Amino acid sequence: MADHNPTEQDMIARGQAVFDDCYRGVVPQPPQIDPKGFSGMTMKMFNDFWGGIEQLSMRDKRMVILGGLLSHGRADMFTIHAECALRNGEMDANELRGVVLMALPYIGFPNASVCMMASEQVIAKVQSGAPVQPPSF
């Protein structure tokens, strides 16, 4: 039977597992988790949203995130989620291109164009077999 009253530590531990499923090393986990700090809130968010919204698959969730990042022209973060989507098998290169094309008339050319360029760079990286290398912020 599922625990309906998880502790904060339970939520953080599950969030860490979901984080790993989501990013698969493309983004490393924080070295330490402070339950009351940003790292703890992040893991609880992964527990609640990435791990808790059961109506959506991981692919669906990724599509929502990609769309949000596209709408703001956030090629930096879009690149991370695009790479994860490709590496996790949530979509292929042509589907990723389709996401950007579908967004174009709704978000405008400037935002879509930077994300399309980022998509092509990520596609080339993943297709080349390059190993996962976490971004440096």
Side-chain angles (χ1 to χ4, degrees):
M1 177 181 252
D3 183 0
H4 295 291
N5 294 308
T7 67
E8 184 173 58
Q9 279 307 113
D10 293 337
M11 290 185 287
I12 289 171
R14 182 166 179 262
Q16 289 177 291
V18 174
F19 184 98
D20 285 342
D21 286 344
C22 178
Y23 288 124
R24 305 253 185 228
V26 173
V27 175
Q29 281 200 23
Q32 291 188 319
I33 305 296
D34 174 2
K36 300 299 182 197
F38 185 81
S39 59
M41 288 188 294
T42 298
M43 293 309 149
K44 288 182 269 188
M45 183 271 305
F46 269 86
N47 173 68
D48 293 346
F49 293 94
W50 282 96
I53 300 175
E54 296 172 4
Q55 301 92 324
L56 300 176
S57 68
M58 286 297 279
R59 174 190 161 92
D60 296 339
K61 293 171 188 175
R62 186 82 64 194
M63 298 278 273
V64 170
I65 300 304
L66 288 170
L69 295 169
L70 268 160
S71 71
H72 293 282
R74 291 295 309 268
D76 54 346
M77 296 300 293
F78 181 88
T79 299
I80 291 168
H81 283 277
E83 181 174 351
C84 293
L86 295 174
R87 290 191 186 273
N88 289 347
E90 296 161 359
M91 64 183 64
D92 63 27
N94 285 329
E95 291 170 321
L96 180 59
R97 290 178 181 113
V99 168
V100 180
L101 288 174
M102 182 64 197
L104 176 65
Y106 295 91
I107 66 169
F109 189 80
N111 287 344
S113 65
V114 296
C115 290
M116 182 57 86
M117 289 185 293
S119 294
E120 293 303 326
Q121 291 172 347
V122 167
I123 290 166
K125 176 183 177 182
V126 171
Q127 288 179 344
S128 76
V132 172
Q133 185 174 356
S136 58
F137 295 106

